[in-house]
Amino acid sequence: MPIVRFHLFVILIMVAPICATADDSLSGKIIIRPDFSPEELASGNNALEGRSGVGLAASGGGARGLALIGILKVLERENIKIDFIAGVSMGGIVGGLYSCGYSASEIEKLAYEIEWSQLLSAGPQRTTLLTTQKGLSEKSLFKLRFQDWKPVIPRAITSAQNLNQLLENLTARAGVRPCVSFDYLNPALRIVCTDLLTGERVVISSGNISEAMRASMAIPVAFTPVEIGGRLLVDGGLVDPIPVDVVKSSIKDPVIAINVSSNLLPASHLTDIVDIADQTTSIMSIDKRNQAMALADFSITPDLGGITNTDFGHIGEIIKAGEDAAVAALPALRTLLARAGDHSGESLNYTVVASEIRDLLYMPKTFFQAAFANSPAITARSIKENLNGAVSSGYVSEAWAELVPESTSYALYYHLKDNPRISAIDFRGASLYSRDELLKLVDCRPGMVSNRLSLRSDVKTLEKFYIENGYTLARVSTELDGKTGLLTFKIDEGRINAVGIEGSRKTRRWVISRNIPFRAGDLFVQRKAEKAVEDIYSTGLFETAKLNIYPDSTGITLVARVEEKPYDYVRAGARFDLEYKSRAFVDLVADNVFGGGQSFFLSTTIGEKKRSASLNYHVDRIFSSLFTSTARVDFTEFKRNHYEHHSYEGYFKQKSYGAEIMPGRQIPQLGAISFVASLRKFIWRQPGREGENEFTKLGLGVRSLVDTRDAISFADVGKVHLFELEFASDIGNEKTAYTRFYTSLESYYRVTRRLNFHPRLALGASSDFMPYFDEFSLGGLNRFLGLHEDEYLGDKLVVVYLELRQKVGDRFFIMGRYDAGNVWNKLERVKISKLRHGGGLGVGVKTPLGPAQLWYGRTTKGLDSFYLDIGYDW
């Protein structure tokens, strides 16, 4: 008898740890429960969905980080489930997009489509600017800002606002749930950053996912830090280059370390401050990177050769390297997954004489019996897998197994409590779509037994429908009345409860709110929010601008958060051309005066033949309207070259001083139309003649400018249309009244990815009389190849040119052009047969000083000229 008791004791000791949720009752029954409850499965945790998966810990690496796309492609193709991703820097961005629902192929497509140089630029995209914001600010070589009369040193090269906006737009498909927890994503996600103030690692698991991704990529010196929750966050790779332990602490699956970080660069590659900052980061993280690799269950390190962190010109090679590394790792990875799924430790057999499914009210027992593994000798693991399968079906609200001793064997009872049957379906909170429209989208129908997985799928379908239609903050939940069987889909369409503004100290609130198309009670619409952020940032008043979303129990609170710039600054630019040599401009600017977006600036131009000074007032938008206004008082001195028979014969010395006002109206992202009133005195002297000519001009007119170019130089797409009509006269001589009309239209068409077609047409006309300083000119790089700038003057003008431009590499261009045109002094002389013809060849390059072009032009009459332009014209 003591021996029998000893054996029973040993058996109980063995069974207890095997059945993780087993309970020993007073009757000797053994209770076995599934690995996860129906509630856990309904939560959407990807790691609970049956088969074993993997967790990914992805390093940063800038452009090298795109190799993760290739690795994801292989894992997708091989049907290897990813349950969890933790990433830093580019690993956090690629991994975050994958968790938001993008496939690897979709992310690859995005990588090719993104204009990386524009994305990482310091200013807003040109297409988002109002027309009056385009000009001198774009043509400045530098800006030096002052705060309380002290120079302000920038915290980084760029605030990466364009990257912020892109990430915000791309992650919109994830909806508002990540604000609560990144566990709602599939796979679950963690973004790792570094707190710049404490040096601590910060693991972000909820909140604004795009903001977290941007913070993790805030490489010191290159990008400004991001403030989240009172912390100043930068690149997570500084303290945790590969966050393996973050994944291991979250899931039980094998963890794969993805190492795409760069090795130390040789001296020849340390060419700028960004390279030095990146090298410093690499040195600091080498030991931690090696420790993380050792901690991982598996690692993949693509062979990226000499590709650097900023080498976005080799995206295809980078992704291919990731694919190759993942394919090479597949055999070992398969072996690892097989070992992870081995539960041989739970192999204790129970002899079962009877097996029965109990407690079902609506589902037939055969539905589960057909899928259950049954045998006279069954292990605890097999029983648990049967329960897991029942729970995974989605029809069960509670599941457990009971082994009841019967002599030397057991009776096995599966207790499965199924969900109630659906009697009717209702949609609560839907205002945008009718019940019938929404009912077509869901699979659940009256008469069906409620299924948790089907409900979860229907919730995702409804949210996806709202998101695809621009209502990205819609949330859907379900409620099933167990007594009546009424299934209710509760829809929160993302109605705005309140709109707030944060970060505005000097700027008036209406300067920001006029760009926000939302008020309390409105529904949040993604495309309107994107446009609002663009408009706020394009004012030029802020380092960064974003719309933060805070989910309430119902609806959301919307907060526009801005970071103001220092508003006093000096800007300057310079250029050189063979015709008028070198010149430079310097502006002293007081911006955002009185907090209303107005600016005052003193502008000076210094050059050998062109000099000027002006005091200017400008406002892009008056209060909340689209009206704009400009006023200036100026003085100009211009030595205009004079040619006879294609030979230089001196210059006209021309001076002017006066004032001009231009009230107008913006046509957002298209153009502006203005009324122009000016009073200006002109004094000029012709070469070879004594005495001076004077003209006190009073002018009234209208000016319209449409500018949709994507760049101010070497544009790929867009149009520029200028229209001017002016009525003017000498206020001291009534007989000198005249009308001047001028219009030009040029377009840019992308023939292929690198070949561009650029046509231009300019027309000018006036009444019979027009003073010298207002005459139209023919000749020069932009008016007729083969002739000198201002070589011919006249009252009537026709110029047309057709240009082809081929891009070579990232910043070089080869160009060819055909020109036709002429100027005349009498209307009766204007004839097509009198047009001059010419053309030329040129090369161009984008430089830090602006565009540089070298051309040779020649007319059909044998006249020719060389042109060298460096820098922007203004």
Side-chain angles (χ1 to χ4, degrees):
M1 192 66 179
I3 295 176
V4 173
R5 289 178 179 174
F6 175 75
H7 282 208
L8 287 173
F9 176 75
V10 171
I11 290 173
L12 289 174
I13 292 296
M14 295 175 64
V15 169
I18 292 172
C19 304
T21 55
D23 299 319
D24 292 326
S25 68
L26 294 175
S27 62
K29 296 176 183 178
I30 299 173
I31 305 300
I32 300 176
R33 302 190 185 278
D35 289 323
F36 46 88
S37 69
E39 289 77 16
E40 289 174 320
L41 183 64
S43 72
N45 191 330
N46 193 44
L48 299 175
E49 296 180 358
R51 62 191 175 89
S52 297
V54 298
L56 302 182
S59 77
R64 294 166 61 94
L66 299 177
L68 177 57
I69 299 173
I71 296 171
L72 291 173
K73 287 175 67 177
V74 173
L75 296 180
E76 276 186 359
R77 188 168 64 236
E78 298 297 322
N79 200 29
I80 296 174
K81 185 163 67 82
I82 302 171
D83 289 331
F84 199 95
I85 297 177
V88 299
S89 197
M90 185 62 83
I93 289 180
V94 175
L97 292 177
Y98 193 77
S99 290
C100 286
Y102 290 87
S103 67
S105 296
E106 286 177 314
I107 301 174
E108 180 180 27
K109 186 171 182 289
L110 288 172
Y112 282 113
E113 291 176 348
I114 291 171
E115 293 287 346
W116 293 96
S117 59
Q118 178 63 39
L119 188 64
L120 304 179
S121 66
Q125 295 186 33
R126 193 172 195 273
T127 52
T128 68
L129 297 173
L130 296 172
T131 301
T132 57
Q133 295 170 315
K134 302 171 183 177
L136 278 180
S137 184
E138 293 181 285
K139 298 174 181 179
S140 303
L141 296 182
F142 72 89
K143 291 182 181 179
L144 178 60
R145 295 185 176 271
F146 293 85
Q147 186 79 50
D148 297 327
W149 302 100
K150 297 178 182 178
V152 176
I153 305 302
R155 293 183 299 168
I157 294 174
T158 175
S159 65
Q161 172 70 22
N162 295 330
L163 177 60
N164 293 349
Q165 289 178 243
L166 176 69
L167 293 177
E168 191 71 45
N169 299 345
L170 292 177
T171 56
R173 70 160 57 180
V176 73
R177 293 188 183 276
C179 293
V180 179
S181 174
F182 290 174
D183 286 341
Y184 281 112
L185 299 170
N186 188 7
L189 178 71
R190 297 292 183 270
I191 301 291
V192 178
C193 304
T194 301
D195 188 336
L196 192 61
L197 301 178
T198 65
E200 297 174 338
R201 183 180 73 174
V202 177
V203 180
I204 302 178
S205 59
S206 65
N208 186 320
I209 184 172
S210 67
E211 193 173 52
M213 293 159 69
R214 159 68 178 88
S216 186
M217 200 175 177
I219 303 167
V221 178
F223 301 139
T224 55
V226 177
E227 183 180 348
I228 301 178
R231 293 176 177 266
L232 203 59
L233 303 181
V234 294
D235 186 358
L238 293 174
V239 294
D240 193 355
I242 311 177
V244 172
D245 64 324
V246 175
V247 187
K248 277 188 170 290
S249 65
S250 303
I251 61 172
K252 297 179 181 178
D253 294 334
V255 178
I256 303 174
I258 310 296
N259 176 32
V260 292
S261 55
S262 59
N263 296 317
L264 297 182
L265 300 172
S268 59
H269 285 68
L270 298 176
T271 58
D272 57 41
I273 191 171
V274 176
D275 291 334
I276 294 173
D278 182 54
Q279 184 87 327
T280 304
T281 302
S282 298
I283 292 171
M284 294 171 58
S285 62
I286 286 176
D287 290 341
K288 292 179 180 179
R289 181 183 67 187
N290 295 338
Q291 291 170 9
M293 296 278 283
L295 181 63
D297 299 296
F298 197 80
S299 64
I300 298 177
T301 303
D303 181 7
L304 294 169
I307 294 175
T308 66
N309 290 8
T310 58
D311 199 353
F312 288 97
H314 295 82
I315 292 174
E317 296 176 32
I318 295 170
I319 295 174
K320 180 65 165 53
E323 286 188 75
D324 292 343
V327 169
L330 276 176
L333 182 57
R334 292 286 189 195
T335 301
L336 176 65
L337 289 174
R339 288 201 305 267
D342 183 9
H343 299 281
S344 56
E346 299 183 12
S347 58
L348 181 65
N349 285 327
Y350 295 99
T351 301
V352 175
V353 294
S355 177
E356 183 182 348
I357 296 177
R358 295 181 173 181
D359 301 335
L360 291 174
L361 295 178
Y362 306 103
M363 292 296 296
K365 294 180 180 180
T366 54
F367 178 84
F368 297 100
Q369 286 172 340
F372 279 12
N374 288 300
S375 65
I378 191 169
T379 65
R381 169 45 53 182
S382 294
I383 296 172
K384 189 177 287 190
E385 286 178 349
N386 287 343
L387 292 171
N388 290 341
V391 173
S392 297
S393 72
Y395 289 106
V396 174
S397 62
E398 188 177 348
W400 53 281
E402 181 183 31
L403 285 164
V404 180
E406 290 187 2
S407 183
T408 60
S409 58
Y410 292 89
L412 174 58
Y413 302 109
Y414 291 100
H415 295 270
L416 307 178
K417 184 178 180 181
D418 51 1
N419 300 319
R421 193 179 298 278
I422 300 170
S423 62
I425 298 177
D426 188 25
F427 296 90
R428 187 188 307 164
S431 64
L432 293 168
Y433 305 101
S434 68
R435 179 185 181 279
D436 291 340
E437 288 178 293
L438 297 176
L439 190 59
K440 292 177 183 178
L441 299 172
V442 300
D443 293 329
C444 291
R445 290 291 182 269
M448 293 182 175
V449 177
S450 174
N451 184 294
R452 289 180 182 272
L453 300 183
S454 296
L455 291 179
R456 193 175 79 184
S457 175
D458 284 345
V459 165
K460 288 183 177 180
T461 299
L462 289 171
E463 289 183 346
K464 182 180 179 182
F465 174 73
Y466 271 88
I467 289 171
E468 288 178 346
N469 283 279
Y471 303 98
T472 54
L473 301 187
R475 288 173 282 176
V476 181
S477 60
T478 59
E479 182 180 90
L480 180 63
D481 191 317
K483 295 181 179 180
T484 65
L486 174 63
L487 172 63
T488 302
F489 288 93
K490 296 187 291 184
I491 301 176
D492 181 345
E493 295 178 322
R495 200 166 294 278
I496 299 169
N497 298 324
V499 179
I501 295 172
E502 295 178 353
S504 174
R505 298 186 304 276
K506 180 178 180 179
T507 308
R508 305 290 180 127
R509 293 174 66 86
W510 52 262
V511 173
I512 301 171
S513 62
R514 70 189 179 188
N515 295 298
I516 302 175
F518 300 115
R519 297 294 179 265
D522 292 347
L523 286 173
F524 181 89
V525 181
Q526 179 64 27
R527 63 180 178 275
K528 289 185 178 180
E530 293 172 10
K531 180 67 165 49
V533 174
E534 287 180 355
D535 289 347
I536 294 171
Y537 182 60
S538 65
T539 62
L541 303 176
F542 309 109
E543 289 285 355
T544 59
K546 55 190 172 186
L547 290 180
N548 285 342
I549 296 154
Y550 301 98
D552 300 326
S553 57
T554 301
I556 58 111
T557 295
L558 188 67
V559 177
R561 180 168 180 78
V562 297
E563 181 183 357
E564 291 185 326
K565 295 178 178 179
Y567 291 123
D568 298 325
Y569 62 90
V570 176
R571 68 186 175 202
R575 72 169 272 111
F576 173 84
D577 62 73
L578 292 178
E579 196 75 46
Y580 289 108
K581 309 307 178 183
S582 60
R583 63 185 186 272
F585 79 84
V586 179
D587 291 350
L588 306 179
V589 184
D591 205 0
N592 202 18
V593 179
F594 311 122
Q598 305 96 330
S599 64
F600 289 93
F601 60 96
L602 175 64
S603 182
T604 60
T605 300
I606 304 168
E608 182 179 334
K609 293 192 174 183
K610 292 185 178 181
R611 301 172 187 172
S612 67
S614 63
L615 182 62
N616 303 264
Y617 163 80
H618 175 75
V619 58
D620 292 307
R621 292 183 62 179
I622 300 174
F623 297 111
S624 295
S625 72
L626 287 172
F627 290 103
T628 179
S629 181
T630 298
R632 71 168 174 262
V633 178
D634 57 46
F635 169 81
T636 302
E637 183 178 86
F638 179 24
K639 297 176 181 179
R640 190 175 195 174
N641 291 343
H642 175 62
Y643 294 90
E644 293 285 349
H645 306 295
H646 202 54
S647 297
Y648 177 72
E649 296 292 337
Y651 57 81
F652 284 78
K653 188 173 183 179
Q654 173 184 316
K655 295 180 181 179
S656 67
Y657 56 88
E660 181 179 82
I661 58 172
M662 290 178 57
R665 191 181 190 280
Q666 305 278 5
I667 306 172
Q669 280 72 57
L670 182 62
I673 184 168
S674 304
F675 295 97
V676 185
S678 64
L679 178 62
R680 187 171 282 111
K681 184 168 185 176
F682 291 86
I683 304 169
W684 71 95
R685 178 181 297 168
Q686 295 178 248
R689 294 187 183 181
E690 296 293 331
E692 293 181 335
N693 300 287
E694 294 186 0
F695 196 103
T696 304
K697 176 182 172 181
L698 174 64
L700 296 173
V702 63
R703 182 176 188 267
S704 171
L705 176 64
V706 173
D707 186 353
T708 62
R709 290 174 294 176
D710 62 340
I712 195 170
S713 63
F714 303 120
D716 282 331
V717 294
K719 292 180 172 61
V720 184
H721 182 204
L722 174 63
F723 173 89
E724 295 177 329
L725 179 63
E726 183 181 36
F727 304 96
S729 67
D730 186 344
I731 60 175
N733 186 350
E734 295 181 358
K735 296 181 180 181
T736 57
Y738 64 97
T739 301
R740 186 181 191 273
F741 160 78
Y742 175 79
T743 185
S744 67
L745 174 64
E746 57 185 305
S747 301
Y748 297 84
Y749 300 99
R750 186 183 284 135
V751 180
T752 66
R753 191 168 68 90
R754 291 185 169 273
L755 182 63
N756 192 273
F757 175 54
H758 173 206
R760 183 175 186 268
L761 170 68
L763 300 173
S766 72
S767 53
D768 287 341
F769 166 81
M770 191 161 65
Y772 151 79
F773 53 81
D774 263 347
E775 288 184 314
F776 304 109
S777 70
L778 184 73
L781 182 57
N782 295 315
R783 279 291 171 82
F784 202 94
L785 292 176
L787 301 178
H788 298 293
E789 188 170 343
D790 299 328
E791 184 162 346
Y792 293 101
L793 302 177
D795 297 341
K796 316 294 183 289
L797 169 74
V798 175
V799 174
V800 61
Y801 72 60
L802 306 175
E803 179 183 284
L804 280 175
R805 187 183 71 229
Q806 176 71 36
K807 188 174 183 179
V808 180
D810 292 334
R811 55 182 62 242
F812 291 92
F813 303 88
I814 298 174
M815 299 165 285
R817 205 171 92 192
Y818 162 74
D819 293 1
N822 210 343
V823 290
W824 299 270
N825 289 317
K826 299 292 183 180
L827 181 63
E828 58 270 18
R829 295 180 181 177
V830 179
K831 296 180 181 179
I832 294 179
S833 61
K834 297 296 183 179
L835 290 179
R836 300 172 184 268
H837 298 271
L841 296 173
V843 294
V845 59
K846 294 180 179 179
T847 76
L849 298 178
Q853 299 185 67
L854 176 64
W855 283 81
Y856 171 74
R858 187 177 180 86
T859 72
T860 54
K861 298 295 185 180
L863 304 178
D864 64 355
S865 184
F866 283 96
Y867 308 91
L868 174 63
D869 272 25
I870 303 174
Y872 295 105
D873 199 0
W874 60 86

